[in-house]
PDB file of all heavy atoms in Angstrom:
ATOM      1  N   VAL A  12      17.917   9.131 -12.368  1.00 96.00           N
ATOM      2  CA  VAL A  12      16.653   9.689 -11.865  1.00 96.00           C
ATOM      3  C   VAL A  12      16.372  11.046 -12.525  1.00 96.00           C
ATOM      4  O   VAL A  12      15.248  11.333 -12.943  1.00 96.00           O
ATOM      5  CB  VAL A  12      16.691   9.786 -10.324  1.00 96.00           C
ATOM      6  CG1 VAL A  12      15.481  10.560  -9.809  1.00 96.00           C
ATOM      7  CG2 VAL A  12      16.698   8.379  -9.717  1.00 96.00           C
ATOM      8  N   GLU A  33      -4.271   9.608 -24.814  1.00 92.00           N
ATOM      9  CA  GLU A  33      -4.296   8.976 -23.486  1.00 92.00           C
ATOM     10  C   GLU A  33      -3.804   7.531 -23.563  1.00 92.00           C
ATOM     11  O   GLU A  33      -3.079   7.074 -22.689  1.00 92.00           O
ATOM     12  CB  GLU A  33      -5.704   9.050 -22.882  1.00 92.00           C
ATOM     13  CG  GLU A  33      -5.834   8.448 -21.475  1.00 92.00           C
ATOM     14  CD  GLU A  33      -4.983   9.157 -20.417  1.00 92.00           C
ATOM     15  OE1 GLU A  33      -4.473  10.257 -20.681  1.00 92.00           O
ATOM     16  OE2 GLU A  33      -4.814   8.583 -19.318  1.00 92.00           O
ATOM     17  N   PHE A  93       0.155  10.301  -2.913  1.00 98.00           N
ATOM     18  CA  PHE A  93      -0.544  11.579  -2.837  1.00 98.00           C
ATOM     19  C   PHE A  93      -1.814  11.454  -3.672  1.00 98.00           C
ATOM     20  O   PHE A  93      -1.778  10.964  -4.803  1.00 98.00           O
ATOM     21  CB  PHE A  93       0.343  12.712  -3.347  1.00 98.00           C
ATOM     22  CG  PHE A  93       1.375  13.131  -2.345  1.00 98.00           C
ATOM     23  CD1 PHE A  93       2.732  13.021  -2.633  1.00 98.00           C
ATOM     24  CD2 PHE A  93       1.001  13.635  -1.110  1.00 98.00           C
ATOM     25  CE1 PHE A  93       3.694  13.397  -1.696  1.00 98.00           C
ATOM     26  CE2 PHE A  93       1.956  14.018  -0.171  1.00 98.00           C
ATOM     27  CZ  PHE A  93       3.302  13.895  -0.466  1.00 98.00           C
ATOM     28  N   ILE A 116       9.540   5.734  -9.885  1.00 95.00           N
ATOM     29  CA  ILE A 116       9.776   4.768 -10.957  1.00 95.00           C
ATOM     30  C   ILE A 116       9.427   3.352 -10.481  1.00 95.00           C
ATOM     31  O   ILE A 116       9.739   2.974  -9.356  1.00 95.00           O
ATOM     32  CB  ILE A 116      11.266   4.827 -11.394  1.00 95.00           C
ATOM     33  CG1 ILE A 116      11.595   6.218 -11.935  1.00 95.00           C
ATOM     34  CG2 ILE A 116      11.576   3.755 -12.425  1.00 95.00           C
ATOM     35  CD1 ILE A 116      13.080   6.495 -12.066  1.00 95.00           C
ATOM     36  N   HIS A 130      10.690  -3.841   8.636  1.00 98.00           N
ATOM     37  CA  HIS A 130      10.837  -2.445   9.084  1.00 98.00           C
ATOM     38  C   HIS A 130      11.765  -2.316  10.287  1.00 98.00           C
ATOM     39  O   HIS A 130      12.163  -1.212  10.640  1.00 98.00           O
ATOM     40  CB  HIS A 130       9.472  -1.816   9.366  1.00 98.00           C
ATOM     41  CG  HIS A 130       8.575  -2.664  10.188  1.00 98.00           C
ATOM     42  ND1 HIS A 130       7.662  -3.535   9.635  1.00 98.00           N
ATOM     43  CD2 HIS A 130       8.434  -2.805  11.523  1.00 98.00           C
ATOM     44  CE1 HIS A 130       7.010  -4.162  10.607  1.00 98.00           C
ATOM     45  NE2 HIS A 130       7.462  -3.737  11.756  1.00 98.00           N
ATOM     46  N   ILE A 149      18.931  -5.534  -5.168  1.00 98.00           N
ATOM     47  CA  ILE A 149      17.839  -5.928  -6.070  1.00 98.00           C
ATOM     48  C   ILE A 149      17.227  -4.694  -6.721  1.00 98.00           C
ATOM     49  O   ILE A 149      16.870  -4.703  -7.896  1.00 98.00           O
ATOM     50  CB  ILE A 149      16.770  -6.751  -5.309  1.00 98.00           C
ATOM     51  CG1 ILE A 149      17.380  -8.053  -4.787  1.00 98.00           C
ATOM     52  CG2 ILE A 149      15.574  -7.045  -6.202  1.00 98.00           C
ATOM     53  CD1 ILE A 149      16.478  -8.804  -3.826  1.00 98.00           C
ATOM     54  N   ILE A 259       2.269 -25.670 -12.653  1.00 97.00           N
ATOM     55  CA  ILE A 259       3.260 -26.709 -13.006  1.00 97.00           C
ATOM     56  C   ILE A 259       3.813 -27.411 -11.762  1.00 97.00           C
ATOM     57  O   ILE A 259       4.508 -28.418 -11.883  1.00 97.00           O
ATOM     58  CB  ILE A 259       4.417 -26.148 -13.875  1.00 97.00           C
ATOM     59  CG1 ILE A 259       5.284 -25.161 -13.100  1.00 97.00           C
ATOM     60  CG2 ILE A 259       3.886 -25.534 -15.158  1.00 97.00           C
ATOM     61  CD1 ILE A 259       6.484 -24.648 -13.894  1.00 97.00           C
ATOM     62  N   GLU A 269      16.370 -24.050 -11.751  1.00 98.00           N
ATOM     63  CA  GLU A 269      17.735 -24.565 -11.554  1.00 98.00           C
ATOM     64  C   GLU A 269      18.404 -24.805 -12.914  1.00 98.00           C
ATOM     65  O   GLU A 269      19.601 -24.554 -13.090  1.00 98.00           O
ATOM     66  CB  GLU A 269      17.710 -25.864 -10.731  1.00 98.00           C
ATOM     67  CG  GLU A 269      17.258 -25.686  -9.289  1.00 98.00           C
ATOM     68  CD  GLU A 269      18.240 -24.903  -8.402  1.00 98.00           C
ATOM     69  OE1 GLU A 269      19.422 -24.788  -8.772  1.00 98.00           O
ATOM     70  OE2 GLU A 269      17.802 -24.400  -7.345  1.00 98.00           O
ATOM     71  N   GLY A 277      26.510 -17.131 -14.621  1.00 94.00           N
ATOM     72  CA  GLY A 277      26.380 -16.557 -13.288  1.00 94.00           C
ATOM     73  C   GLY A 277      27.327 -15.404 -12.992  1.00 94.00           C
ATOM     74  O   GLY A 277      26.887 -14.321 -12.602  1.00 94.00           O
ATOM     75  N   PRO A 297      24.688   2.766  12.669  1.00 95.00           N
ATOM     76  CA  PRO A 297      25.033   4.162  12.900  1.00 95.00           C
ATOM     77  C   PRO A 297      25.893   4.316  14.165  1.00 95.00           C
ATOM     78  O   PRO A 297      26.135   3.336  14.869  1.00 95.00           O
ATOM     79  CB  PRO A 297      23.669   4.842  13.067  1.00 95.00           C
ATOM     80  CG  PRO A 297      22.736   3.754  13.459  1.00 95.00           C
ATOM     81  CD  PRO A 297      23.268   2.490  12.871  1.00 95.00           C
ATOM     82  N   ASN A 316       3.713   7.238  35.011  1.00 98.00           N
ATOM     83  CA  ASN A 316       2.780   7.644  33.960  1.00 98.00           C
ATOM     84  C   ASN A 316       2.218   6.420  33.237  1.00 98.00           C
ATOM     85  O   ASN A 316       2.829   5.889  32.308  1.00 98.00           O
ATOM     86  CB  ASN A 316       3.510   8.569  32.974  1.00 98.00           C
ATOM     87  CG  ASN A 316       2.536   9.261  32.033  1.00 98.00           C
ATOM     88  OD1 ASN A 316       1.545   8.644  31.613  1.00 98.00           O
ATOM     89  ND2 ASN A 316       2.798  10.508  31.734  1.00 98.00           N
ATOM     90  N   PRO A 329      12.317  -3.904  21.406  1.00 98.00           N
ATOM     91  CA  PRO A 329      13.733  -3.998  21.792  1.00 98.00           C
ATOM     92  C   PRO A 329      14.677  -3.790  20.602  1.00 98.00           C
ATOM     93  O   PRO A 329      14.331  -4.109  19.461  1.00 98.00           O
ATOM     94  CB  PRO A 329      13.869  -5.428  22.314  1.00 98.00           C
ATOM     95  CG  PRO A 329      12.485  -5.843  22.676  1.00 98.00           C
ATOM     96  CD  PRO A 329      11.567  -5.110  21.756  1.00 98.00           C
ATOM     97  N   GLY A 469      -5.020 -11.373   7.204  1.00 98.00           N
ATOM     98  CA  GLY A 469      -5.420 -10.793   8.487  1.00 98.00           C
ATOM     99  C   GLY A 469      -5.927 -11.896   9.410  1.00 98.00           C
ATOM    100  O   GLY A 469      -6.561 -12.839   8.943  1.00 98.00           O
ATOM    101  N   LEU A 474     -13.302  -8.027   3.389  1.00 98.00           N
ATOM    102  CA  LEU A 474     -13.230  -7.717   1.969  1.00 98.00           C
ATOM    103  C   LEU A 474     -14.521  -7.034   1.529  1.00 98.00           C
ATOM    104  O   LEU A 474     -15.605  -7.594   1.701  1.00 98.00           O
ATOM    105  CB  LEU A 474     -13.021  -9.010   1.160  1.00 98.00           C
ATOM    106  CG  LEU A 474     -13.264  -8.910  -0.350  1.00 98.00           C
ATOM    107  CD1 LEU A 474     -12.275  -7.942  -0.992  1.00 98.00           C
ATOM    108  CD2 LEU A 474     -13.166 -10.280  -1.006  1.00 98.00           C
TER     109      LEU A 474
END
Side-chain angles (χ1 to χ4, degrees):
Chain A
V12 171
E33 181 62 13
F93 283 119
I116 298 166
H130 47 267
I149 297 170
I259 67 177
E269 294 291 341
N316 192 323
L474 166 63

